[in-house]
Amino acid sequence: MDDPVSEYTSRLQRQEKDIKLLQGEIERLKNPQELNFASSHLEELKEENIRLKYRLNILKKSLQEEMSQNGKTMLNINQRLQQIFGEAISTAYPDLENPPQAVTPNQQAKFGDYQCNSAMAMAQMMKAKGQKVSPREIAEKIVQNIPHNELIEKTEIAGPGFINVHIKRMFVSKLLSNLLVNGAQPPPLAKKKKVVVDFSSPNIAKEMHVGHLRSTIIGDGMCRLFEFLGYEVLRLNHVGDWGTQFGMLIAHLQDKFPNYLTVSPPIGDLQAFYKESKKRFDEDEEFKKRAYQCVVKLQSKEPDFIKGWNLICDVSRKEFQKVYDCLGIRIEERGESYYQDLMTAVVKEFEGRGLVQMDEGRKIVFAPGQSVPLTIVKSDGGYTYDTSDLAAIRQRLFDEKADIIIYVTDSGQSSHFQIIFAAAQMIGWYDPEVTRVEHAGFGVVLGEDKKKFKTRSGDTVRLMDLLEEGLKRSMDKLKDKERDKVLTPEELAKAQRAVAFGCIKYADLSHNRINDYIFSFDKMLDDRGNTAAYLLYAFTRIRSIARLANIQEDALRKAAETTEVLLDHEKEWKLGKCILRFPEILQKITDDLLLHTLSDYLYELATTFTEFYDSCYCVEKDRQTGEVVKVNMWRMLLCEATAAVMAKGFDILGINPVERM
């Protein structure tokens, strides 16, 4: 943690260890001269210790005040409890190195709100050092050393050494008021870092398919998460826009549209164009020879060939953009061609460090711990994907100065990226302790027959066909629910897009990305269970409560500033705590990049809200006239706080809710 409190605490602990060592040494020393030296050193350490403790207490006090008063950011309660228990543990057991700070939400409300489970693991650590202490004794000592704090109401020790934690209702109420006044703001960021996310990455002249769908949706979600948290994010589309296939495509372009240099060729179906050229390449030796000549001329950057290449790339870009527009994706194209001029320098750098071996005319590099080498120059002198990926990671580290680099591709490429990362570390481009470089792999999309998702003819499913089918199915669903009778045509069109694209995204993001998942329109459009359809309807219902009670936005804003959010009813308390777990969820996803945790949380929040709404009257109406006779404003504020967090969660997942649906 990059903060002064951690720095001072660490220094203090080191000092205390030094003091204990010196005290032990004094007992053993018999030489008076050595004893005088040790005593002098000990006194110096003790004086510095007093100064450090004084400074540490001031810093801790100011930090607590800042956390209590700073309502613009959301407090991560779990993280704050870890800090509190971490301090208690280090005070109680200063000699224990890296003790666990295991704090989790309690699954059963009767046992409290959170639970610290560190004592059991600490007992095992001490047993390994020859100290036999029961976990319950450890738990008692931890509790005795909990510092004064703004959060904990009381603690109870249960079973062998679980520490149940009850948090202060008044403090939770204040946090909810801060959320209502300032919105769902990100937790404080210790240091603004630069994040590069490499995702989507289709190939020029080929249509996007369901594999690209997963990379695009998951990568966009990660970007949105880091952007919300305050990081600088570079969204990169590493498209396949270079290589042998372009010689084949340009040669076919020259034959089919000989006047392409002056008249833009009407290439309507680039996929068909690609298949035609591939067929000729495979069957016609003369055409193949000419295709290779075109590659050489393209790589030499001859203007006519560059123009042909640009024409083909532009047709693809327009098709890709249709998909990105549907899904609301922002991404910067930086294809393989971008790194061509950088690859020569990469090869020279590896050669200059003596890391290159020759293998049957190829130049290869073995990275530590990897059995498969990287081929950085082919026997014909050409470069490879390995060379391109090395040039890309180098550029991102040195030119972009990225602190975090994430590659979002299918899990089948995991081994390749592990070798690339190992080679980059070997040559000294980055230290994994300082820079986070990670491959976020994902499983394949399966059809309802649990086989790889294909069309009935066995072809890959076109992404635009899939999205258009989603639009059709969502409109059918809305009409089944007779929404077309109550919504304006404009509202109905908005709801159609929100349901179609929201459901497709959520179906992907609600599954652990590491696993394969079954693509089913029927399941994703079901408005029961953990689906986008259910959550979108739930959100719309929550948003409508204030409208049905005739409460205007300005009245809600004023109430947020003046009304205490009461949490006396058990369902109010459960909902309030659930709302405030949002920063904990974001922290977990930042650490493991598993976005399904956010989906699960939003579903839990929606179901917890339903429990609250069924048990606690927000608006009371006259049964005969239907007129509003009483508004429980603090409960209306809980509705608003729920909606604010749900809206931000949707935004991170790339889902666009609508007010009416």
Side-chain angles (χ1 to χ4, degrees):
M1 206 177 159
D2 299 319
D3 64 74
V5 173
S6 294
E7 184 186 336
Y8 275 95
T9 303
S10 178
R11 280 177 60 190
L12 193 60
Q13 287 170 353
R14 287 199 301 270
Q15 292 280 355
E16 286 174 344
K17 282 182 182 177
D18 286 346
I19 288 171
K20 286 189 176 181
L21 284 171
L22 280 165
Q23 284 173 330
E25 192 68 20
I26 288 171
E27 295 299 319
R28 292 192 296 273
L29 287 169
K30 293 182 180 178
N31 186 318
Q33 289 181 337
E34 290 184 2
L35 182 60
N36 289 337
F37 168 75
S39 298
S40 168
H41 193 191
L42 179 62
E43 290 307 315
E44 287 174 17
L45 281 171
K46 281 182 174 177
E47 284 179 21
E48 188 176 351
N49 236 23
I50 291 166
R51 288 195 298 271
L52 279 170
K53 281 181 177 176
Y54 176 73
R55 180 68 179 144
L56 182 63
N57 286 331
I58 290 174
L59 281 166
K60 282 179 179 171
K61 191 176 178 183
S62 66
L63 181 67
Q64 281 190 18
E65 286 173 1
E66 187 181 335
M67 290 173 112
S68 300
Q69 293 169 7
N70 187 2
K72 291 186 178 179
T73 60
M74 288 186 76
L75 177 70
N76 184 331
I77 293 174
N78 192 301
Q79 197 173 63
R80 178 70 186 116
L81 285 171
Q82 285 183 25
Q83 291 170 351
I84 292 166
F85 276 97
E87 189 177 335
I89 289 167
S90 65
T91 304
Y93 296 96
D95 294 335
L96 203 60
E97 289 187 20
N98 300 318
Q101 294 170 22
V103 179
T104 57
N106 233 326
Q107 298 304 310
Q108 297 185 57
K110 63 181 180 180
F111 295 129
D113 307 310
Y114 285 81
Q115 192 174 78
C116 176
N117 303 326
S118 300
M120 279 66 73
M122 288 171 65
Q124 291 299 316
M125 291 172 72
M126 293 171 77
K127 186 179 178 182
K129 295 174 72 174
Q131 302 171 32
K132 192 174 180 182
V133 189
S134 75
R136 195 172 179 90
E137 286 178 65
I138 294 170
E140 286 169 355
K141 198 169 179 182
I142 291 171
V143 168
Q144 289 165 11
N145 285 280
I146 290 174
H148 174 74
N149 64 85
E150 75 290 4
L151 189 54
I152 298 174
E153 179 74 43
K154 65 175 181 176
T155 57
E156 297 164 341
I157 299 171
F162 300 110
I163 303 172
N164 290 325
V165 181
H166 298 259
I167 55 180
K168 294 177 182 176
R169 296 200 176 208
M170 184 60 74
F171 188 73
V172 169
S173 177
K174 284 180 181 176
L175 291 179
L176 288 168
S177 294
N178 290 337
L179 163 63
L180 287 158
V181 170
N182 297 295
Q185 299 296 326
L189 193 63
K191 181 186 176 186
K192 187 170 182 176
K193 294 181 178 180
K194 184 166 187 179
V195 185
V196 172
V197 184
D198 178 327
F199 69 107
S200 193
S201 307
N203 289 311
I204 294 292
K206 294 183 182 179
E207 287 174 317
M208 292 179 76
H209 54 74
V210 290
H212 298 123
L213 177 68
R214 290 216 78 185
S215 178
T216 304
I217 291 172
I218 295 167
D220 180 57
M222 289 178 187
C223 291
R224 287 170 176 270
L225 170 68
F226 282 110
E227 285 162 350
F228 172 64
L229 293 174
Y231 292 83
E232 180 187 352
V233 179
L234 177 58
R235 300 157 158 259
L236 287 186
N237 200 1
H238 189 84
V239 297
D241 67 349
W242 203 253
T244 307
Q245 73 271 26
F246 284 94
M248 173 183 86
L249 289 163
I250 292 169
H252 189 53
L253 180 72
Q254 290 172 334
D255 293 344
K256 197 163 183 177
F257 304 103
N259 61 343
Y260 76 91
L261 291 171
T262 53
V263 179
S264 184
I267 303 174
D269 189 341
L270 195 56
Q271 185 81 351
F273 186 84
Y274 180 88
K275 286 180 178 177
E276 288 169 14
S277 65
K278 183 74 169 72
K279 189 171 186 295
R280 291 182 68 190
F281 186 83
D282 292 339
E283 297 173 0
D284 185 341
E285 280 300 317
E286 196 58 40
F287 179 80
K288 182 184 278 191
K289 197 179 293 182
R290 193 154 59 84
Y292 280 127
Q293 290 169 353
C294 288
V295 172
V296 173
K297 290 178 179 179
L298 174 63
Q299 290 176 343
S300 301
K301 299 189 177 175
E302 291 191 21
D304 290 358
F305 291 85
I306 288 291
K307 180 163 187 181
W309 172 72
N310 274 323
L311 285 168
I312 292 164
C313 289
D314 285 344
V315 174
S316 267
R317 286 189 190 106
K318 285 173 186 171
E319 292 304 309
F320 298 161
Q321 197 56 46
K322 289 177 186 176
V323 172
Y324 296 145
D325 287 345
C326 283
L327 297 174
I329 306 296
R330 292 181 294 104
I331 195 164
E332 180 178 323
E333 184 182 309
R334 194 177 286 177
E336 291 168 0
S337 60
Y338 181 90
Y339 303 100
Q340 293 307 299
D341 294 339
L342 306 176
M343 291 196 285
T344 304
V346 164
V347 173
K348 282 183 179 175
E349 189 172 347
F350 273 91
E351 286 178 328
R353 297 282 296 276
L355 299 171
V356 176
Q357 299 177 30
M358 296 301 297
D359 178 60
E360 297 181 349
R362 299 182 304 151
K363 291 181 179 179
I364 63 171
V365 171
F366 275 99
Q370 306 296 323
S371 57
V372 178
L374 294 170
T375 299
I376 60 171
V377 181
K378 294 187 290 185
S379 55
D380 64 4
Y383 297 134
T384 68
Y385 288 125
D386 294 347
T387 334
S388 174
D389 282 337
L390 285 169
I393 195 171
R394 192 187 191 289
Q395 193 275 338
R396 292 164 187 180
L397 288 164
F398 289 96
D399 296 348
E400 300 299 342
K401 294 180 171 49
D403 300 291
I404 302 170
I405 306 174
I406 300 165
Y407 293 80
V408 186
T409 73
D410 65 89
S411 295
Q413 297 186 51
S414 178
S415 298
H416 166 72
F417 282 112
Q418 292 311 314
I419 301 169
I420 293 289
F421 301 161
Q425 290 172 44
M426 174 181 71
I427 201 167
W429 289 348
Y430 79 96
D431 177 355
E433 296 294 320
V434 177
T435 307
R436 180 180 178 185
V437 180
E438 192 168 339
H439 174 235
F442 54 81
V444 298
V445 182
L446 305 175
E448 293 189 72
D449 58 1
K450 297 186 180 177
K451 294 179 181 177
K452 209 164 184 181
F453 197 35
K454 300 273 186 182
T455 62
R456 288 182 180 177
S457 62
D459 291 332
T460 303
V461 179
R462 289 178 70 246
L463 208 43
M464 275 311 299
D465 290 346
L466 196 72
L467 297 175
E468 285 165 7
E469 177 69 12
L471 284 169
K472 177 184 174 298
R473 298 256 194 145
S474 68
M475 181 58 80
D476 292 343
K477 183 77 176 179
L478 289 163
K479 286 181 176 177
D480 284 346
K481 294 176 76 69
E482 299 188 333
R483 304 312 296 160
D484 55 321
K485 294 178 181 177
V486 294
L487 299 177
T488 66
E490 185 182 9
E491 287 173 337
L492 187 65
K494 278 185 179 178
Q496 178 193 22
R497 290 179 70 84
V499 172
F501 303 141
C503 285
I504 288 170
K505 286 183 178 184
Y506 192 85
D508 193 318
L509 296 173
S510 61
H511 289 84
N512 187 323
R513 63 171 164 79
I514 296 167
N515 302 329
D516 300 342
Y517 91 95
I518 295 170
F519 190 97
S520 166
F521 275 122
D522 289 339
K523 285 182 180 175
M524 64 179 68
L525 288 165
D526 193 342
D527 53 16
R528 296 161 298 176
N530 189 6
T531 66
Y534 168 76
L535 288 173
L536 286 166
Y537 286 124
F539 177 80
T540 304
R541 192 168 63 251
I542 296 166
R543 279 289 192 220
S544 70
I545 294 168
R547 187 168 62 246
L548 294 172
N550 296 318
I551 301 172
Q552 302 302 314
E553 275 191 36
D554 56 346
L556 282 169
R557 277 197 298 271
K558 188 175 180 182
E561 295 171 356
T562 57
T563 305
E564 181 185 346
V565 181
L566 300 177
L567 301 167
D568 296 334
H569 193 286
E570 62 170 319
K571 298 302 181 184
E572 293 171 337
W573 179 235
K574 184 178 179 182
L575 179 60
K577 288 187 296 178
C578 189
I579 292 167
L580 294 177
R581 279 183 43 230
F582 186 51
E584 298 172 23
I585 300 300
L586 299 186
Q587 183 59 56
K588 185 180 185 303
I589 303 167
T590 308
D591 293 339
D592 61 23
L593 302 178
L594 296 173
L595 288 158
H596 72 276
T597 306
L598 178 55
S599 303
D600 291 345
Y601 166 74
L602 291 175
Y603 179 62
E604 181 189 346
L605 181 59
T607 53
T608 303
F609 176 83
T610 301
E611 287 179 26
F612 153 78
Y613 195 66
D614 289 345
S615 303
C616 304
Y617 286 111
C618 298
V619 180
E620 296 179 37
K621 294 183 178 180
D622 185 288
R623 290 187 178 181
Q624 292 181 332
T625 65
E627 288 183 10
V628 175
V629 294
K630 185 181 178 183
V631 174
N632 294 318
M633 191 56 83
W634 77 92
R635 288 178 177 166
M636 292 300 301
L637 292 176
L638 274 171
C639 296
E640 288 299 300
T642 304
V645 168
M646 283 187 77
K648 187 52 67 178
F650 283 148
D651 188 48
I652 291 170
L653 296 177
I655 295 169
N656 297 315
V658 287
E659 289 293 320
R660 298 192 68 204
M661 203 165 84

PDB file of all heavy atoms in Angstrom, residues 637-650:
ATOM      1  N   LEU A 637     -35.010   6.734   0.041  1.00  0.00           N
ATOM      2  CA  LEU A 637     -33.574   6.972  -0.177  1.00  0.00           C
ATOM      3  C   LEU A 637     -32.825   5.655  -0.356  1.00  0.00           C
ATOM      4  O   LEU A 637     -31.870   5.579  -1.138  1.00  0.00           O
ATOM      5  CB  LEU A 637     -32.990   7.771   0.988  1.00  0.00           C
ATOM      6  CG  LEU A 637     -33.487   9.218   1.110  1.00  0.00           C
ATOM      7  CD1 LEU A 637     -32.916   9.878   2.357  1.00  0.00           C
ATOM      8  CD2 LEU A 637     -33.141  10.035  -0.133  1.00  0.00           C
ATOM      9  N   LEU A 638     -33.252   4.611   0.356  1.00  0.00           N
ATOM     10  CA  LEU A 638     -32.640   3.291   0.143  1.00  0.00           C
ATOM     11  C   LEU A 638     -32.913   2.794  -1.275  1.00  0.00           C
ATOM     12  O   LEU A 638     -32.053   2.163  -1.904  1.00  0.00           O
ATOM     13  CB  LEU A 638     -33.171   2.288   1.169  1.00  0.00           C
ATOM     14  CG  LEU A 638     -32.451   2.250   2.517  1.00  0.00           C
ATOM     15  CD1 LEU A 638     -33.211   1.373   3.508  1.00  0.00           C
ATOM     16  CD2 LEU A 638     -31.013   1.742   2.376  1.00  0.00           C
ATOM     17  N   CYS A 639     -34.107   3.079  -1.787  1.00  0.00           N
ATOM     18  CA  CYS A 639     -34.429   2.740  -3.186  1.00  0.00           C
ATOM     19  C   CYS A 639     -33.473   3.468  -4.132  1.00  0.00           C
ATOM     20  O   CYS A 639     -32.932   2.876  -5.078  1.00  0.00           O
ATOM     21  CB  CYS A 639     -35.868   3.129  -3.522  1.00  0.00           C
ATOM     22  SG  CYS A 639     -37.130   2.237  -2.606  1.00  0.00           S
ATOM     23  N   GLU A 640     -33.260   4.752  -3.876  1.00  0.00           N
ATOM     24  CA  GLU A 640     -32.385   5.563  -4.734  1.00  0.00           C
ATOM     25  C   GLU A 640     -30.933   5.086  -4.671  1.00  0.00           C
ATOM     26  O   GLU A 640     -30.239   5.045  -5.688  1.00  0.00           O
ATOM     27  CB  GLU A 640     -32.466   7.038  -4.324  1.00  0.00           C
ATOM     28  CG  GLU A 640     -33.771   7.709  -4.692  1.00  0.00           C
ATOM     29  CD  GLU A 640     -34.012   7.712  -6.191  1.00  0.00           C
ATOM     30  OE1 GLU A 640     -33.175   8.282  -6.936  1.00  0.00           O
ATOM     31  OE2 GLU A 640     -35.013   7.130  -6.639  1.00  0.00           O
ATOM     32  N   ALA A 641     -30.488   4.735  -3.461  1.00  0.00           N
ATOM     33  CA  ALA A 641     -29.111   4.257  -3.307  1.00  0.00           C
ATOM     34  C   ALA A 641     -28.917   2.936  -4.047  1.00  0.00           C
ATOM     35  O   ALA A 641     -27.883   2.711  -4.695  1.00  0.00           O
ATOM     36  CB  ALA A 641     -28.772   4.088  -1.822  1.00  0.00           C
ATOM     37  N   THR A 642     -29.909   2.059  -3.989  1.00  0.00           N
ATOM     38  CA  THR A 642     -29.854   0.790  -4.719  1.00  0.00           C
ATOM     39  C   THR A 642     -29.751   1.048  -6.213  1.00  0.00           C
ATOM     40  O   THR A 642     -28.912   0.461  -6.912  1.00  0.00           O
ATOM     41  CB  THR A 642     -31.111  -0.062  -4.431  1.00  0.00           C
ATOM     42  OG1 THR A 642     -31.230  -0.266  -3.030  1.00  0.00           O
ATOM     43  CG2 THR A 642     -31.026  -1.404  -5.135  1.00  0.00           C
ATOM     44  N   ALA A 643     -30.604   1.942  -6.711  1.00  0.00           N
ATOM     45  CA  ALA A 643     -30.614   2.252  -8.147  1.00  0.00           C
ATOM     46  C   ALA A 643     -29.289   2.876  -8.591  1.00  0.00           C
ATOM     47  O   ALA A 643     -28.782   2.581  -9.678  1.00  0.00           O
ATOM     48  CB  ALA A 643     -31.775   3.182  -8.473  1.00  0.00           C
ATOM     49  N   ALA A 644     -28.709   3.735  -7.738  1.00  0.00           N
ATOM     50  CA  ALA A 644     -27.441   4.399  -8.095  1.00  0.00           C
ATOM     51  C   ALA A 644     -26.320   3.380  -8.273  1.00  0.00           C
ATOM     52  O   ALA A 644     -25.532   3.459  -9.227  1.00  0.00           O
ATOM     53  CB  ALA A 644     -27.062   5.411  -7.015  1.00  0.00           C
ATOM     54  N   VAL A 645     -26.254   2.405  -7.357  1.00  0.00           N
ATOM     55  CA  VAL A 645     -25.200   1.388  -7.448  1.00  0.00           C
ATOM     56  C   VAL A 645     -25.471   0.436  -8.618  1.00  0.00           C
ATOM     57  O   VAL A 645     -24.552   0.053  -9.350  1.00  0.00           O
ATOM     58  CB  VAL A 645     -25.073   0.613  -6.116  1.00  0.00           C
ATOM     59  CG1 VAL A 645     -24.200  -0.620  -6.268  1.00  0.00           C
ATOM     60  CG2 VAL A 645     -24.482   1.536  -5.045  1.00  0.00           C
ATOM     61  N   MET A 646     -26.734   0.056  -8.815  1.00  0.00           N
ATOM     62  CA  MET A 646     -27.068  -0.810  -9.952  1.00  0.00           C
ATOM     63  C   MET A 646     -26.704  -0.137 -11.275  1.00  0.00           C
ATOM     64  O   MET A 646     -26.147  -0.762 -12.175  1.00  0.00           O
ATOM     65  CB  MET A 646     -28.552  -1.166  -9.941  1.00  0.00           C
ATOM     66  CG  MET A 646     -28.929  -2.231  -8.934  1.00  0.00           C
ATOM     67  SD  MET A 646     -30.655  -2.769  -9.094  1.00  0.00           S
ATOM     68  CE  MET A 646     -30.541  -3.842 -10.528  1.00  0.00           C
ATOM     69  N   ALA A 647     -27.026   1.165 -11.378  1.00  0.00           N
ATOM     70  CA  ALA A 647     -26.724   1.903 -12.616  1.00  0.00           C
ATOM     71  C   ALA A 647     -25.230   1.921 -12.886  1.00  0.00           C
ATOM     72  O   ALA A 647     -24.784   1.741 -14.028  1.00  0.00           O
ATOM     73  CB  ALA A 647     -27.268   3.326 -12.522  1.00  0.00           C
ATOM     74  N   LYS A 648     -24.431   2.115 -11.835  1.00  0.00           N
ATOM     75  CA  LYS A 648     -22.972   2.137 -12.017  1.00  0.00           C
ATOM     76  C   LYS A 648     -22.464   0.743 -12.361  1.00  0.00           C
ATOM     77  O   LYS A 648     -21.560   0.589 -13.197  1.00  0.00           O
ATOM     78  CB  LYS A 648     -22.301   2.670 -10.749  1.00  0.00           C
ATOM     79  CG  LYS A 648     -20.801   2.888 -10.894  1.00  0.00           C
ATOM     80  CD  LYS A 648     -20.440   3.731 -12.107  1.00  0.00           C
ATOM     81  CE  LYS A 648     -20.905   5.155 -12.008  1.00  0.00           C
ATOM     82  NZ  LYS A 648     -20.469   5.946 -13.210  1.00  0.00           N
ATOM     83  N   GLY A 649     -23.033  -0.289 -11.738  1.00  0.00           N
ATOM     84  CA  GLY A 649     -22.653  -1.661 -12.085  1.00  0.00           C
ATOM     85  C   GLY A 649     -22.966  -1.976 -13.535  1.00  0.00           C
ATOM     86  O   GLY A 649     -22.154  -2.578 -14.255  1.00  0.00           O
ATOM     87  N   PHE A 650     -24.170  -1.558 -13.988  1.00  0.00           N
ATOM     88  CA  PHE A 650     -24.535  -1.743 -15.398  1.00  0.00           C
ATOM     89  C   PHE A 650     -23.539  -1.035 -16.309  1.00  0.00           C
ATOM     90  O   PHE A 650     -23.135  -1.561 -17.350  1.00  0.00           O
ATOM     91  CB  PHE A 650     -25.938  -1.173 -15.663  1.00  0.00           C
ATOM     92  CG  PHE A 650     -27.073  -2.030 -15.179  1.00  0.00           C
ATOM     93  CD1 PHE A 650     -28.246  -1.455 -14.738  1.00  0.00           C
ATOM     94  CD2 PHE A 650     -26.982  -3.413 -15.171  1.00  0.00           C
ATOM     95  CE1 PHE A 650     -29.311  -2.229 -14.296  1.00  0.00           C
ATOM     96  CE2 PHE A 650     -28.036  -4.203 -14.735  1.00  0.00           C
ATOM     97  CZ  PHE A 650     -29.200  -3.614 -14.290  1.00  0.00           C
TER      98      PHE A 650
END
